[in-house]
């Protein structure tokens, strides 16, 4: 009954928001122009109101199909496609995805192409300028140009585009365009293979493009080199972070060359005079273009693990995965099963991209995590006002290549943009620093071909061989198969610079610190059937300190708290069932609290405490370290940790004038920078007299004294926020999760609700206290014999992007109740089995 009421409320909210937007755009308001033509009855938004909001199983007979294709759906909307040719399989995948997610497809390609403004107006200009500067569109075009049309990727891209366009043809005939096109009068262009590669590039960027070298430079300029490297070291000193899935021994092989060119770089051989440079009427890349939060990697939590042998009840292998991304309506994921002569795959696909990214086929299963390795390098180019349009590289002045764009802006004049390119990449101002950007996502490699080969793999060897062609973003793939084998491997290009260079800082652009190669594939971290019968990847550094190649710094990698919880769970439980993995995926144990709370309680013992402080202290002493929404101790712990970090580091930030406002996501103490948490743990437990505990120009202070002061401030803060009784300070009063709409309309999202977890629990909640980042899909596969498995998955969303559809957010209540749905079989028709509410031991 409650779910029906919630659904009714959501539909009312959706209708209300739609009406408000309708009135706004119909009359015009401030910068928003009137869109009267879009509101004409019989066309525009009115036609979209009658569009289909449900789906049913059918046989497709589209013009471009070789033969009819069977499409079926579960009651919850999970899709299955059964085709007699691979061409028809991917055409039908494109058609079915567009049928349910067309608005999302178009918004994602517009984001990557720098064409949001054409649809949403001036609000999209900053994003468009950034994307055109970085060059996802240039890269996608170069990748398509380099893709053989008869290759698996070439054929899949062409067929997928034909499927999307078949759905668009239907929309054109019926007039049932999604509401946003009726409101604006904008009609989307036909889908192309380049569009798919742009969409793939958007996810690559959000997982792998970061500003770490610029942040290190800002820290060095304020804190100085010594404190920066002491507090933000390349290799973190804590034992927690030293949980590699590949403990060695390691191969030290010659570097591999970059196999394809940078699609966003000038020709190294060009020494001609620079082009004439008229003063642009719009924006040039030399101006400071804002860095929207949506265009770079900000949070990086993902979990994937697999076990075999005695760790799994009945033997065999079992895998669990939950990639962490922004949780949105619609979701990043679209559940689908694909069946054709060469493909029998089921799992989570990316809308806009052929194949399956996480899931299983007849013999193997896989999930993934972000490898977190270095992928973005910045270069200080040598330029001169006397040589406009030139830069100095390898002993000569060379012309910058220019790319010119005109950005259409709905309701406003077009914006002109000029981007300069050097041999390293596009020139940009990033966090106020003018640099060129050499990003691995800008190289014209063929990752889709690697993914499709992985979809067809039958064992670890063929899976590993398939992924040798995957270049960006660098990922950890975790694997389990029907013969009981497990493994994990890092794939992707990890650039290397000359010995003696410091790639965690902006590098010299004159040629002496250029990329000299990548880590060879045979030397990348991997493990297969380890003696402990467990492989796990949680974004931690995958190797020990003696690994011979540079992977990144402590700012790149997760501290390993989730890894500790996963390892401990397997050690203590053993003989696990799928229900045990649902328990672990939803676990909210804070392993940092496990380590630091005893030290805090000890520091408070014997101290003069108020009655209220004593109650809060007792809550911590009895706490199980679980960040449950109904736990008051969780609120005390979280508020203390924030207070402790500020108590120790804020005086230094103030004294040294650290420019936190330049990048609040990395430099602001309110974001609790990962390396500082690790160092605080290390000093508290192993070096309590570290000089960092004594503020500049102040009397000596040690860790226990700083903890007592921070604890007092935390109790005062909680009293101010939640009242005088610590027993009522439940975590859910401070911490919520929400699933916002990609349109930003609050009435179209899933509103905030009290929730457990924090950024480093297995069931992670990244970002702010109102979190919209964390597990974006959950997958569990238990292999029961050759070719047979028990596989379930769930994600917080729905298969449709239409707010009035019953499939818009129907999976969210199941997600919140920790229920899973069977994955449709890759052997044909969708499985209509009811939901699984798995419990430990099942």
């Amino acid at each position: 009954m409650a779910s029906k009421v919630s659904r009714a409320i959501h539909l009312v909210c959706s209708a209300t928001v739609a009406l408000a937007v309708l009135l706004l755009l119909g009359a015009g308001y401030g910068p928003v122009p009137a869109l009267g033509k879009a509101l004409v009855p019989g066309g525009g938004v009115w036609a979209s109101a009658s569009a289909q909001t449900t789906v049913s199983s059918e046989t497709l007979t589209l013009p471009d199909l070789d033969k009819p294709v069977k499409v079926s759906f579960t009651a919850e909307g999970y899709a299955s496609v059964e085709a007699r040719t691979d061409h028809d399989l991917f055409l039908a995948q494109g058609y079915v995805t567009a049928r349910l997610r067309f608005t999302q497809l178009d918004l994602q390609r517009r984001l990557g192409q720098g064409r949001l403004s054409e649809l949403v107006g001036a609000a999209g200009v900053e994003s468009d300028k950034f994307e055109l500067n970085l060059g996802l569109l240039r890269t996608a075009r170069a990748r398509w140009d380099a893709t053989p049309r008869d290759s698996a990727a070439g054929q899949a891209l062409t067929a997928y585009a034909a499927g999307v366009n078949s759905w668009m043809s239907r929309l054109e005939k019926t007039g049932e365009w999604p509401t946003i096109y009726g409101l604006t009068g904008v009609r989307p262009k036909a889908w192309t293979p380049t569009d798919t590669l742009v969409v793939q590039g958007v996810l690559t960027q959000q997982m792998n493009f970061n500003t770490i070298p610029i942040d290190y430079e800002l820290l060095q300029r304020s804190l100085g080199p010594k404190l920066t490297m002491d507090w933000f070291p390349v290799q973190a000193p804590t034992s927690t972070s030293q949980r590699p899935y590949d403990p060695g021994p390691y191969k030290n092989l010659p570097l591999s060359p970059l196999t394809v060119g940078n699609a966003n770089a000038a020709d190294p051989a060009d020494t001609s005079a620079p082009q004439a440079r008229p003063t642009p009427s719009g924006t040039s890349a030399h101006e400071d273009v804002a860095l929207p939060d949506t265009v770079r990697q900000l949070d990086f939590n993902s979990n994937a693990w697999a076990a075999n042998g005695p760790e799994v009840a009945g033997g065999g292998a079992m895998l669990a995965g939950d990639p962490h991304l922004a949780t949105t309506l619609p979701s990043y994921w679209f559940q689908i099963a694909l069946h054709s002569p060469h493909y029998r795959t089921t799992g989570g696909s990316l809308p806009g991209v052929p194949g399956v990214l996480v899931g299983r086929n007849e013999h193997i299963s896989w999930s993934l995590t972000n490898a977190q390795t270095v992928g973005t390098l910045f270069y200080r180019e040598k330029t001169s006002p006397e040589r406009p349009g030139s830069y100095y590289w390898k002993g000569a002045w060379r012309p910058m290549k220019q790319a010119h764009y005109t950005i259409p802006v709905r309701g406003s004049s077009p914006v002109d943009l000029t981007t300069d390119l050097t041999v390293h990449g596009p020139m940009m101002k990033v966090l106020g620093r003018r640099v060129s950007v050499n990003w691995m996502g800008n190289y014209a490699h063929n990752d889709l071909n690697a993914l499709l080969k992985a979809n067809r793999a039958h064992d670890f060897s063929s899976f590993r061989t398939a992924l040798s062609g995957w270049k960006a973003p660098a990922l950890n793939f975790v694997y389990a198969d029907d013969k009981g084998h497990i493994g994990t491997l890092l794939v992707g290009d990890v650039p290397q610079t000359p010995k003696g260079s410091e790639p965690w800082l902006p590098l010299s652009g004159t040629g002496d610190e250029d990329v000299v190669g990548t880590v060879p594939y045979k030397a990348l971290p991997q493990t297969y059937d380890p003696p402990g019968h467990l492989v796990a990847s949680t974004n931690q550094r995958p190797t020990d300190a003696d690994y011979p190649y540079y992977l990144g710094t402590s700012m790149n990698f997760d501290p390993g708290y989730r890894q500790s919880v996963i390892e401990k769970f397997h050690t203590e439980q053993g003989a696990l069932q799928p229900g045990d993995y649902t328990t672990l995926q939803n676990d909210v144990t804070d392993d940092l609290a496990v380590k630091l709370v005893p030290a805090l309680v000890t520091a408070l013992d014997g101290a003069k405490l108020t009655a209220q402080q004593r109650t809060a202290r007792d809550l911590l002493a009895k706490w199980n370290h679980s960040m449950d929404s109904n736990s008051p101790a969780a609120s005390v712990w979280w508020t203390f940790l924030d207070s402790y970090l500020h108590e120790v580091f804020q005086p230094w930030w103030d004294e040294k004038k650290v420019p936190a406002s330049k990048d609040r996501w990395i430099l602001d103490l309110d974001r609790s920078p990962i390396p500082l948490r690790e160092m605080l743990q290390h000093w508290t437990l192993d070096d309590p007299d570290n000089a960092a505990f004594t503020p500049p120009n102040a009397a000596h202070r040690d860790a226990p004294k700083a903890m007592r002061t921070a604890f007092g401030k935390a109790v005062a803060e909680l009293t101010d926020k939640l009242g005088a009784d610590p027993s009522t300070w439940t975590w859910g009063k401070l911490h919520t999760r929400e699933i916002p709409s990609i349109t930003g309309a609050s009435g179209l999202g899933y509103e905030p609700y009290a929730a457990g977890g924090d950024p480093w629990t297995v069931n992670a909640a990244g970002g702010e206290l109102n979190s919209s980042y964390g597990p974006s899909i959950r997958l569990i596969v238990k292999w029961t014999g050759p070719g047979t498995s028990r596989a379930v998955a769930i994600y917080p969303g729905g298969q449709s992007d239409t707010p009035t559809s019953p499939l818009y957010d129907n999976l969210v209540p199941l997600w919140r109740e920790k229920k899973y749905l069977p994955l449709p079989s890759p052997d044909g028709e969708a499985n209509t089995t009811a939901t699984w509410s798995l419990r430990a031991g099942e």
Side-chain angles (χ1 to χ4, degrees), residues 236-403:
T238 63
S239 58
T240 305
S241 64
Q242 310 305 320
R243 292 183 177 272
Y245 64 70
D246 183 355
Y250 305 114
K251 298 177 181 178
N252 192 349
L253 303 174
L255 298 180
S256 296
L258 289 163
T259 54
V260 296
N262 186 339
N264 284 281
D267 183 356
D270 188 359
T271 57
S272 61
Q275 305 169 26
R277 303 174 66 83
T279 301
S281 58
T283 303
S284 79
H286 297 196
E287 296 181 28
D288 201 351
V289 176
L291 189 67
D293 289 343
T294 55
V295 303
R296 59 174 173 151
Q297 174 198 10
L298 295 175
D299 291 287
F300 47 79
N301 292 325
S302 289
N303 306 310
W305 65 85
N308 65 0
E311 292 291 336
V312 179
M318 186 161 60
L319 173 140
D322 51 285
H324 298 183
L325 297 165
T327 52
T328 59
L329 291 175
S331 168
Y332 275 91
W333 301 97
F334 185 80
Q335 291 281 20
I336 196 165
L338 303 173
H339 182 183
S340 71
H342 296 103
Y343 295 89
R344 281 180 170 81
T345 308
T346 183
S349 70
L350 294 178
V353 181
V356 166
L357 187 58
V358 297
R360 76 168 183 94
N361 63 23
E362 294 174 294
H363 301 290
I364 71 170
S365 56
W366 66 94
S367 189
L368 55 85
T369 69
N370 195 339
Q372 301 299 131
T373 51
V374 57
T376 313
L377 301 171
F378 294 91
Y379 283 86
R380 308 182 308 272
E381 300 292 358
K382 181 178 179 180
T383 60
S384 171
E386 298 176 356
R387 294 177 176 270
S390 297
Y391 66 103
Y392 189 82
W393 183 71
K394 290 196 172 180
W397 289 96
R398 301 167 188 271
M400 293 182 185
K401 179 181 176 181
Q402 289 191 317

Side-chain angles (χ1 to χ4, degrees), residues 317 319 344-347 356 358-367 450-464 466-467 477-486 489 528 779 781-783 785-789 791 823 826:
L319 173 140
R344 281 180 170 81
T345 308
T346 183
V356 166
V358 297
R360 76 168 183 94
N361 63 23
E362 294 174 294
H363 301 290
I364 71 170
S365 56
W366 66 94
S367 189
L451 177 63
L452 294 176
K453 287 181 179 179
N455 277 208
R456 303 191 303 269
H458 61 276
D459 60 16
F460 189 74
S461 177
S462 58
F463 187 70
R464 186 174 183 275
L467 290 174
F477 279 86
V478 175
Y479 165 100
D481 66 28
D482 62 349
K483 295 182 180 178
H485 301 296
I486 60 173
L489 64 161
Y528 179 67
L779 166 75
V781 180
K782 167 69 167 70
W783 289 99
T788 59
S789 70
L823 275 180

Side-chain angles (χ1 to χ4, degrees), residues 641-656:
L641 181 63
D642 178 70
S643 178
Y644 188 31
L645 189 137
H646 280 79
E647 181 66 26
V648 173
F649 292 108
Q650 192 65 59
W652 294 96
W653 254 233
D654 295 340
E655 171 74 14
K656 301 293 185 179

Side-chain angles (χ1 to χ4, degrees), residues 134-221:
L134 183 61
L136 291 189
L137 180 58
R138 296 188 295 269
T139 300
R141 287 171 173 166
R143 288 181 178 178
W144 178 236
D145 289 344
T147 300
R149 300 305 187 260
D150 61 350
S151 66
Q155 293 179 17
L157 286 165
T158 302
Y160 194 96
V164 175
N165 291 329
S166 288
W167 179 250
M168 289 181 65
S169 295
R170 184 188 183 284
L171 293 177
E172 193 66 49
K173 290 176 182 177
T174 63
E176 295 175 348
W177 290 99
T179 301
I180 192 169
Y181 305 106
L183 290 172
T184 61
V186 175
R187 284 293 181 265
K189 296 180 180 179
W191 194 268
T192 69
T194 299
D195 294 334
T196 287
L197 297 172
V198 166
V199 169
Q200 185 181 337
V202 169
L203 183 61
T204 301
Q205 174 183 315
Q206 291 170 342
M207 294 181 70
N208 188 244
F209 180 85
N210 61 54
T211 58
I212 287 175
I214 306 297
D215 290 300
Y216 264 100
E217 184 178 53
L218 291 171
L219 287 168
Q220 284 208 1
R221 288 181 174 182

